[in-house]
Each structure stands twice: as C-alpha cells, then as structure tokens.
Amino acid sequence: MNKNMTAGEAAKLQRFLRNKLNPEMAVQCRNRPDECAEIHIGDECLGVVAKIIDEGETSYSFEITILDIDLEEL
C-alpha cells in the first residue's frame, strides 16, 4: 500500500489548512519519498503532516514542533 504523500494531496491539505488555520500556511512535500509533508509559514517550518492509512481509510495527522527557545522569545 502506497503511503507516500502526493502533490495533489499536499495541495488539498494546504487549501484546508489555509481555510481553517492560517491563510499563509504552505504544505511542501519532502524531497525523499515518505508519508510526510512539511508545514510552513514563510521560511519557518512549523511541523509535519503525516498520511495514515488504516483499514482502508486515509487520514492525516498534523504534528507541530515548538522549541523551548522559541517560547523564551515571547
């Protein structure tokens, strides 16, 4: 079963995230073939979105990474 994120899926996810969360969010497929794509706002990578296929159903999991040094800047 192919779990790689396609360009079409990334475009759909980008439209969804821009509509629901932030109009500046961008979804970029990684150069290596895997099930994840990166989520960016401008030059900053916020995290990844993973494609999950379980029992024939497809879902996407968005994981955001927040570094402790980023919190100190606030």
Side-chain angles (χ1 to χ4, degrees):
M1 186 176 310
N2 185 356
K3 289 176 54 172
N4 294 347
M5 182 83 60
T6 67
E9 289 169 319
K12 286 180 184 179
L13 287 167
Q14 179 171 288
R15 286 192 300 272
F16 176 84
L17 292 170
R18 285 181 173 180
N19 184 26
K20 298 291 183 180
L21 299 176
N22 185 313
E24 296 181 21
M25 288 184 126
V27 177
Q28 298 177 359
C29 290
R30 292 182 169 181
N31 289 332
R32 66 178 193 266
D34 61 17
E35 70 276 5
C36 294
E38 295 177 350
I39 306 297
H40 291 260
I41 293 181
D43 291 335
E44 185 173 2
C45 180
L46 297 178
V48 295
V49 62
K51 179 178 177 180
I52 301 165
I53 300 174
D54 185 30
E55 295 182 5
E57 294 185 358
T58 302
S59 63
Y60 301 88
S61 176
F62 177 27
E63 180 180 316
I64 188 168
T65 302
I66 303 168
L67 301 175
D68 60 349
I69 61 172
D70 292 334
L71 296 175
E72 292 172 5
E73 295 174 0
L74 300 177

Coordinates of all heavy atoms in Angstrom, one line a residue:
M1 N 0.8 -1.2 0.0 CA 0.0 0.0 0.0 C 0.9 1.2 0.0 O 1.8 1.4 0.8 CB -0.9 0.0 1.2 CG -1.9 1.1 1.2 SD -3.1 1.0 2.6 CE -3.6 -0.7 2.6
N2 N 0.7 2.2 -0.9 CA 1.5 3.4 -1.1 C 1.0 4.4 -0.1 O -0.1 4.9 -0.1 CB 1.3 3.9 -2.5 CG 2.2 5.1 -2.8 OD1 2.9 5.6 -1.9 ND2 2.2 5.5 -4.0
K3 N 1.9 4.8 0.9 CA 1.6 5.8 1.9 C 2.3 7.1 1.5 O 2.2 8.1 2.3 CB 2.1 5.4 3.2 CG 1.2 4.2 3.8 CD 1.8 3.7 5.1 CE 1.9 4.8 6.1 NZ 2.2 4.3 7.5
N4 N 2.9 7.3 0.4 CA 3.6 8.5 0.0 C 2.6 9.6 -0.2 O 1.6 9.4 -0.8 CB 4.5 8.3 -1.2 CG 5.6 7.4 -1.0 OD1 5.9 7.0 0.1 ND2 6.2 6.9 -2.1
M5 N 3.0 10.8 0.3 CA 2.1 12.0 0.1 C 2.3 12.5 -1.4 O 3.4 12.7 -1.8 CB 2.6 13.1 1.0 CG 1.8 14.4 1.0 SD 0.3 14.3 1.9 CE 0.9 14.0 3.6
T6 N 1.2 12.6 -2.1 CA 1.3 13.1 -3.5 C 1.1 14.6 -3.5 O 0.7 15.2 -2.5 CB 0.1 12.5 -4.3 OG1 -1.1 13.0 -3.8 CG2 0.1 10.9 -4.2
A7 N 1.5 15.2 -4.6 CA 1.4 16.6 -4.8 C -0.1 17.0 -4.7 O -0.4 18.1 -4.2 CB 2.0 17.1 -6.1
G8 N -1.0 16.2 -5.2 CA -2.4 16.5 -5.2 C -2.9 16.5 -3.7 O -3.7 17.4 -3.4
E9 N -2.5 15.6 -3.0 CA -2.9 15.5 -1.5 C -2.3 16.7 -0.8 O -3.0 17.3 0.0 CB -2.4 14.2 -0.9 CG -3.1 13.0 -1.4 CD -2.5 11.7 -0.9 OE1 -1.2 11.6 -0.9 OE2 -3.2 10.8 -0.5
A10 N -1.1 17.1 -1.1 CA -0.5 18.3 -0.4 C -1.2 19.5 -0.7 O -1.5 20.4 0.1 CB 1.0 18.4 -0.8
A11 N -1.7 19.7 -2.0 CA -2.4 20.9 -2.4 C -3.8 20.9 -1.7 O -4.2 22.0 -1.2 CB -2.6 20.9 -3.9
K12 N -4.5 19.8 -1.5 CA -5.7 19.7 -0.8 C -5.5 20.1 0.7 O -6.3 20.8 1.3 CB -6.4 18.3 -0.9 CG -7.0 18.1 -2.3 CD -7.6 16.7 -2.3 CE -8.1 16.3 -3.7 NZ -8.7 15.0 -3.7
L13 N -4.5 19.5 1.3 CA -4.2 19.8 2.7 C -3.9 21.3 2.8 O -4.3 21.9 3.8 CB -3.0 19.0 3.2 CG -3.3 17.5 3.4 CD1 -2.0 16.7 3.6 CD2 -4.2 17.3 4.6
Q14 N -3.1 21.9 1.9 CA -2.8 23.3 2.0 C -4.1 24.1 2.0 O -4.2 25.1 2.8 CB -1.9 23.7 0.9 CG -1.5 25.2 0.9 CD -0.4 25.5 -0.1 OE1 0.7 25.1 0.1 NE2 -0.7 26.2 -1.2
R15 N -5.0 23.8 1.1 CA -6.3 24.6 1.0 C -7.0 24.5 2.3 O -7.6 25.4 2.8 CB -7.1 24.1 -0.2 CG -6.6 24.6 -1.5 CD -7.6 24.3 -2.6 NE -8.0 22.9 -2.8 CZ -7.3 22.1 -3.6 NH1 -6.2 22.5 -4.3 NH2 -7.7 20.8 -3.7
F16 N -7.1 23.2 2.9 CA -7.8 23.0 4.1 C -7.1 23.8 5.3 O -7.8 24.5 6.0 CB -7.7 21.5 4.5 CG -8.4 21.2 5.8 CD1 -9.7 21.1 5.9 CD2 -7.6 21.1 6.9 CE1 -10.3 20.8 7.1 CE2 -8.2 20.8 8.2 CZ -9.5 20.7 8.3
L17 N -5.8 23.7 5.4 CA -5.1 24.4 6.5 C -5.2 26.0 6.4 O -5.4 26.7 7.3 CB -3.6 24.0 6.6 CG -3.4 22.6 7.0 CD1 -2.0 22.2 6.8 CD2 -3.8 22.3 8.4
R18 N -5.1 26.5 5.1 CA -5.3 27.9 4.9 C -6.7 28.4 5.3 O -6.9 29.4 5.8 CB -5.0 28.2 3.5 CG -3.5 28.2 3.2 CD -3.2 28.6 1.7 NE -1.7 28.7 1.5 CZ -1.2 29.1 0.4 NH1 -1.9 29.3 -0.7 NH2 0.1 29.2 0.3
N19 N -7.7 27.6 5.0 CA -9.1 27.9 5.2 C -9.3 27.8 6.7 O -10.0 28.7 7.3 CB -10.0 27.0 4.5 CG -11.4 27.3 4.6 OD1 -11.8 28.5 4.9 ND2 -12.3 26.3 4.5
K20 N -8.8 26.8 7.4 CA -9.2 26.6 8.8 C -8.2 27.3 9.8 O -8.7 27.7 10.9 CB -9.1 25.1 9.1 CG -10.2 24.3 8.4 CD -11.6 24.6 8.8 CE -12.6 23.7 8.1 NZ -13.9 24.0 8.5
L21 N -6.9 27.4 9.5 CA -6.0 27.9 10.5 C -5.3 29.2 10.1 O -5.3 30.2 10.9 CB -4.9 26.8 10.7 CG -5.4 25.5 11.2 CD1 -4.3 24.5 11.4 CD2 -6.1 25.7 12.6
N22 N -4.7 29.3 9.0 CA -3.9 30.5 8.6 C -3.7 30.6 7.1 O -3.2 29.6 6.5 CB -2.5 30.4 9.3 CG -1.7 31.7 9.1 OD1 -1.6 32.2 8.0 ND2 -1.1 32.2 10.2
P23 N -4.1 31.7 6.5 CA -4.1 31.8 5.0 C -2.6 31.8 4.5 O -2.5 31.7 3.2 CB -4.8 33.1 4.7 CG -4.8 33.8 6.0 CD -4.7 32.9 7.1
E24 N -1.6 31.9 5.3 CA -0.2 31.8 4.8 C 0.4 30.5 4.9 O 1.6 30.3 4.6 CB 0.6 32.9 5.6 CG 0.1 34.3 5.4 CD 0.9 35.3 6.2 OE1 2.1 35.0 6.6 OE2 0.4 36.4 6.4
M25 N -0.3 29.5 5.4 CA 0.3 28.1 5.6 C 0.6 27.5 4.2 O -0.2 27.7 3.3 CB -0.6 27.2 6.4 CG -0.7 27.5 7.8 SD -1.7 26.3 8.7 CE -0.5 25.9 10.0
A26 N 1.7 26.8 4.1 CA 2.1 26.1 2.9 C 2.5 24.7 3.2 O 3.1 24.5 4.2 CB 3.2 26.9 2.2
V27 N 2.1 23.8 2.4 CA 2.4 22.4 2.5 C 3.4 22.0 1.5 O 3.2 22.3 0.3 CB 1.2 21.5 2.4 CG1 1.5 20.0 2.5 CG2 0.1 21.8 3.5
Q28 N 4.6 21.5 1.9 CA 5.6 21.2 0.9 C 6.0 19.7 1.1 O 6.4 19.3 2.2 CB 6.9 22.0 1.2 CG 6.6 23.5 1.0 CD 7.8 24.4 1.3 OE1 8.9 23.8 1.7 NE2 7.7 25.7 1.2
C29 N 5.9 19.0 0.0 CA 6.3 17.6 0.0 C 7.8 17.5 0.2 O 8.6 18.4 -0.2 CB 6.0 16.9 -1.3 SG 4.2 16.6 -1.4
R30 N 8.3 16.6 0.9 CA 9.7 16.4 1.2 C 10.4 15.8 -0.1 O 9.8 15.2 -0.9 CB 10.0 15.5 2.4 CG 9.5 16.1 3.7 CD 9.8 15.1 4.8 NE 9.6 15.8 6.1 CZ 9.8 15.2 7.2 NH1 10.2 13.9 7.3 NH2 9.6 15.9 8.3
N31 N 11.7 16.1 -0.2 CA 12.5 15.5 -1.3 C 12.6 14.0 -1.3 O 12.7 13.4 -2.4 CB 13.9 16.2 -1.4 CG 13.8 17.6 -1.7 OD1 12.9 18.1 -2.4 ND2 14.8 18.4 -1.3
R32 N 12.6 13.4 -0.1 CA 12.7 12.0 0.0 C 11.2 11.4 0.0 O 10.3 12.0 0.6 CB 13.5 11.6 1.2 CG 12.8 11.9 2.5 CD 13.7 11.4 3.6 NE 13.0 11.4 4.9 CZ 13.0 12.4 5.7 NH1 13.8 13.5 5.5 NH2 12.3 12.4 6.8
P33 N 11.0 10.3 -0.6 CA 9.7 9.7 -0.6 C 9.4 9.1 0.8 O 10.0 8.1 1.2 CB 9.8 8.6 -1.7 CG 11.2 8.3 -1.8 CD 12.0 9.5 -1.4
D34 N 8.4 9.7 1.4 CA 7.9 9.1 2.7 C 6.4 9.6 2.8 O 5.9 10.2 1.9 CB 8.7 9.4 3.9 CG 8.8 10.9 4.2 OD1 8.0 11.7 3.7 OD2 9.7 11.3 4.9
E35 N 5.8 9.3 3.9 CA 4.4 9.7 4.1 C 4.2 11.1 4.6 O 3.1 11.4 4.9 CB 3.7 8.6 5.0 CG 4.1 8.6 6.4 CD 5.4 7.9 6.7 OE1 6.0 7.4 5.8 OE2 5.7 7.8 7.9
C36 N 5.2 11.9 4.8 CA 5.1 13.2 5.5 C 5.3 14.3 4.5 O 6.0 14.2 3.5 CB 6.1 13.3 6.6 SG 5.8 12.2 8.0
A37 N 4.7 15.4 4.8 CA 5.0 16.7 4.2 C 5.2 17.7 5.3 O 4.8 17.6 6.4 CB 3.8 17.1 3.3
E38 N 6.0 18.8 4.9 CA 6.3 19.8 5.9 C 5.2 21.0 5.8 O 4.7 21.3 4.7 CB 7.7 20.4 5.7 CG 8.7 19.4 5.9 CD 10.1 19.9 5.6 OE1 10.3 21.0 5.0 OE2 11.1 19.2 5.9
I39 N 4.9 21.6 7.0 CA 4.0 22.7 7.0 C 4.8 23.9 7.3 O 5.6 24.0 8.3 CB 2.9 22.5 8.1 CG1 2.2 21.2 8.0 CG2 2.0 23.7 8.2 CD1 1.4 21.0 6.7
H40 N 4.7 25.0 6.5 CA 5.5 26.2 6.6 C 4.6 27.4 6.7 O 3.5 27.4 6.1 CB 6.4 26.4 5.4 CG 7.5 25.4 5.3 ND1 8.8 25.7 5.7 CD2 7.5 24.1 4.9 CE1 9.5 24.6 5.5 NE2 8.8 23.7 5.0
I41 N 5.0 28.4 7.4 CA 4.5 29.8 7.3 C 5.8 30.6 7.0 O 6.7 30.7 7.8 CB 3.8 30.3 8.6 CG1 2.5 29.5 8.8 CG2 3.5 31.8 8.4 CD1 1.7 29.9 10.0
G42 N 5.8 31.2 5.8 CA 7.0 31.9 5.4 C 8.2 30.9 5.3 O 8.0 29.8 4.8
D43 N 9.3 31.3 5.9 CA 10.5 30.4 5.9 C 10.6 29.5 7.0 O 11.4 28.6 7.1 CB 11.8 31.3 5.9 CG 12.0 32.1 4.6 OD1 11.5 31.6 3.6 OD2 12.6 33.1 4.7
E44 N 9.6 29.6 8.0 CA 9.6 28.8 9.2 C 8.8 27.5 9.0 O 7.7 27.5 8.6 CB 9.1 29.6 10.4 CG 9.2 28.8 11.7 CD 8.8 29.6 12.9 OE1 8.4 30.8 12.7 OE2 8.9 29.1 14.0
C45 N 9.5 26.4 9.3 CA 8.8 25.1 9.3 C 8.2 24.9 10.7 O 8.8 24.9 11.7 CB 9.8 23.9 9.0 SG 9.0 22.3 9.0
L46 N 6.8 24.7 10.7 CA 6.1 24.5 11.9 C 6.0 23.1 12.4 O 5.9 22.8 13.5 CB 4.7 25.0 11.8 CG 4.5 26.5 11.5 CD1 3.0 26.8 11.4 CD2 5.1 27.3 12.6
G47 N 6.0 22.2 11.4 CA 5.9 20.8 11.7 C 5.7 20.0 10.5 O 6.0 20.4 9.4
V48 N 5.1 18.8 10.7 CA 4.8 17.9 9.6 C 3.4 17.4 9.6 O 2.8 17.4 10.7 CB 5.8 16.7 9.6 CG1 7.2 17.1 9.4 CG2 5.7 15.9 10.8
V49 N 2.9 17.0 8.5 CA 1.7 16.3 8.4 C 1.9 14.9 7.8 O 2.6 14.8 6.8 CB 0.6 17.1 7.6 CG1 1.0 17.3 6.1 CG2 -0.8 16.5 7.6
A50 N 1.4 13.9 8.4 CA 1.7 12.5 8.0 C 0.4 11.9 7.5 O -0.7 12.1 8.0 CB 2.2 11.7 9.2
K51 N 0.6 11.1 6.4 CA -0.5 10.4 5.8 C -0.6 9.0 6.5 O 0.4 8.3 6.6 CB -0.3 10.2 4.3 CG -1.3 9.4 3.6 CD -1.0 9.4 2.1 CE -2.0 8.5 1.4 NZ -1.6 8.5 -0.1
I52 N -1.8 8.7 7.0 CA -2.0 7.4 7.7 C -3.1 6.6 7.0 O -4.2 7.2 6.8 CB -2.4 7.7 9.2 CG1 -1.3 8.5 9.9 CG2 -2.7 6.4 9.9 CD1 -1.8 9.1 11.2
I53 N -2.8 5.4 6.6 CA -3.8 4.5 6.0 C -4.0 3.4 7.0 O -3.0 2.6 7.4 CB -3.3 4.0 4.7 CG1 -3.1 5.2 3.7 CG2 -4.3 3.0 4.1 CD1 -2.4 4.8 2.4
D54 N -5.2 3.2 7.5 CA -5.5 2.2 8.4 C -6.9 1.6 8.1 O -7.9 2.3 8.0 CB -5.6 2.8 9.9 CG -5.8 1.7 10.9 OD1 -5.4 0.6 10.7 OD2 -6.4 2.1 12.0
E55 N -6.9 0.3 7.8 CA -8.1 -0.5 7.5 C -8.8 0.1 6.3 O -10.0 0.2 6.2 CB -9.0 -0.6 8.7 CG -8.4 -1.4 9.8 CD -9.4 -1.6 11.0 OE1 -10.5 -1.2 10.9 OE2 -8.9 -2.2 12.0
G56 N -8.0 0.6 5.3 CA -8.5 1.1 4.1 C -9.0 2.6 4.1 O -9.4 3.1 3.1
E57 N -8.9 3.2 5.3 CA -9.3 4.6 5.4 C -8.0 5.5 5.5 O -7.0 5.1 6.2 CB -10.1 4.8 6.7 CG -11.5 4.1 6.6 CD -12.4 4.5 7.7 OE1 -12.0 5.2 8.7 OE2 -13.5 4.0 7.7
T58 N -8.0 6.6 4.9 CA -6.9 7.5 4.9 C -7.2 8.7 5.8 O -8.3 9.3 5.7 CB -6.6 8.0 3.5 OG1 -6.3 6.9 2.7 CG2 -5.4 9.0 3.5
S59 N -6.2 9.1 6.7 CA -6.3 10.3 7.5 C -5.0 11.0 7.5 O -4.0 10.4 7.0 CB -6.8 9.9 8.9 OG -5.8 9.1 9.5
Y60 N -5.0 12.2 8.0 CA -3.7 13.0 8.0 C -3.5 13.5 9.5 O -4.5 14.0 10.1 CB -3.8 14.1 7.0 CG -4.0 13.6 5.6 CD1 -5.3 13.4 5.1 CD2 -2.9 13.3 4.8 CE1 -5.5 13.0 3.9 CE2 -3.1 12.8 3.5 CZ -4.4 12.7 3.1 OH -4.6 12.2 1.8
S61 N -2.3 13.4 10.0 CA -2.0 13.8 11.3 C -1.0 15.0 11.3 O 0.1 14.8 10.7 CB -1.4 12.6 12.1 OG -1.0 13.1 13.4
F62 N -1.4 16.1 11.8 CA -0.5 17.3 11.8 C 0.2 17.4 13.2 O -0.5 17.5 14.2 CB -1.4 18.5 11.6 CG -0.7 19.9 11.6 CD1 0.6 20.0 11.3 CD2 -1.4 21.0 11.9 CE1 1.3 21.2 11.3 CE2 -0.8 22.2 11.9 CZ 0.6 22.4 11.7
E63 N 1.5 17.4 13.1 CA 2.3 17.5 14.4 C 3.1 18.8 14.3 O 3.9 19.0 13.4 CB 3.2 16.3 14.5 CG 4.1 16.3 15.7 CD 5.0 15.1 15.8 OE1 4.6 14.0 15.6 OE2 6.2 15.3 16.1
I64 N 2.9 19.6 15.3 CA 3.7 20.9 15.3 C 4.8 20.8 16.3 O 4.6 20.1 17.4 CB 2.7 22.1 15.6 CG1 3.5 23.4 15.5 CG2 2.1 21.9 17.0 CD1 2.6 24.6 15.5
T65 N 5.9 21.3 16.0 CA 7.1 21.3 16.9 C 7.3 22.7 17.5 O 7.5 23.6 16.7 CB 8.3 20.7 16.2 OG1 8.0 19.5 15.7 CG2 9.5 20.7 17.1
I66 N 7.4 22.8 18.8 CA 7.7 24.1 19.4 C 8.9 23.9 20.3 O 8.9 23.1 21.2 CB 6.5 24.5 20.3 CG1 5.2 24.6 19.4 CG2 6.8 25.9 20.9 CD1 4.0 24.8 20.3
L67 N 10.0 24.6 19.9 CA 11.2 24.5 20.7 C 11.1 25.4 21.9 O 10.5 26.5 21.9 CB 12.4 25.0 19.8 CG 12.6 24.1 18.5 CD1 13.7 24.8 17.7 CD2 12.9 22.7 18.8
D68 N 11.8 25.0 23.0 CA 11.7 25.8 24.2 C 12.4 27.2 24.0 O 11.9 28.2 24.6 CB 12.4 25.1 25.4 CG 13.8 24.7 25.1 OD1 14.3 24.8 24.0 OD2 14.5 24.3 26.1
I69 N 13.4 27.3 23.1 CA 14.0 28.6 22.9 C 13.0 29.6 22.2 O 13.1 30.8 22.3 CB 15.3 28.5 22.1 CG1 15.1 27.8 20.7 CG2 16.3 27.8 22.9 CD1 16.3 27.9 19.8
D70 N 12.1 29.0 21.4 CA 11.0 29.8 20.8 C 10.1 30.4 21.8 O 9.6 31.6 21.6 CB 10.2 29.0 19.7 CG 11.1 28.6 18.5 OD1 12.1 29.3 18.2 OD2 10.7 27.6 17.9
L71 N 9.8 29.7 22.9 CA 9.0 30.2 23.9 C 9.6 31.3 24.7 O 9.0 32.2 25.2 CB 8.6 29.1 24.9 CG 7.7 28.0 24.2 CD1 7.5 26.8 25.2 CD2 6.4 28.5 23.7
E72 N 10.9 31.3 24.8 CA 11.7 32.3 25.6 C 11.6 33.6 24.9 O 11.7 34.7 25.5 CB 13.1 31.9 25.8 CG 13.3 30.7 26.7 CD 14.7 30.1 26.7 OE1 15.6 30.7 26.1 OE2 14.9 29.1 27.4
E73 N 11.4 33.6 23.6 CA 11.3 34.9 22.8 C 10.1 35.7 23.1 O 10.0 36.8 22.7 CB 11.5 34.6 21.3 CG 12.8 34.0 21.0 CD 12.9 33.6 19.5 OE1 11.9 33.8 18.8 OE2 14.0 33.1 19.1
L74 N 9.1 35.0 23.7 CA 7.8 35.7 23.9 C 7.7 36.5 25.2 O 8.3 36.2 26.2 CB 6.7 34.7 23.9 CG 6.5 33.9 22.6 CD1 5.4 32.8 22.7 CD2 6.2 34.8 21.4

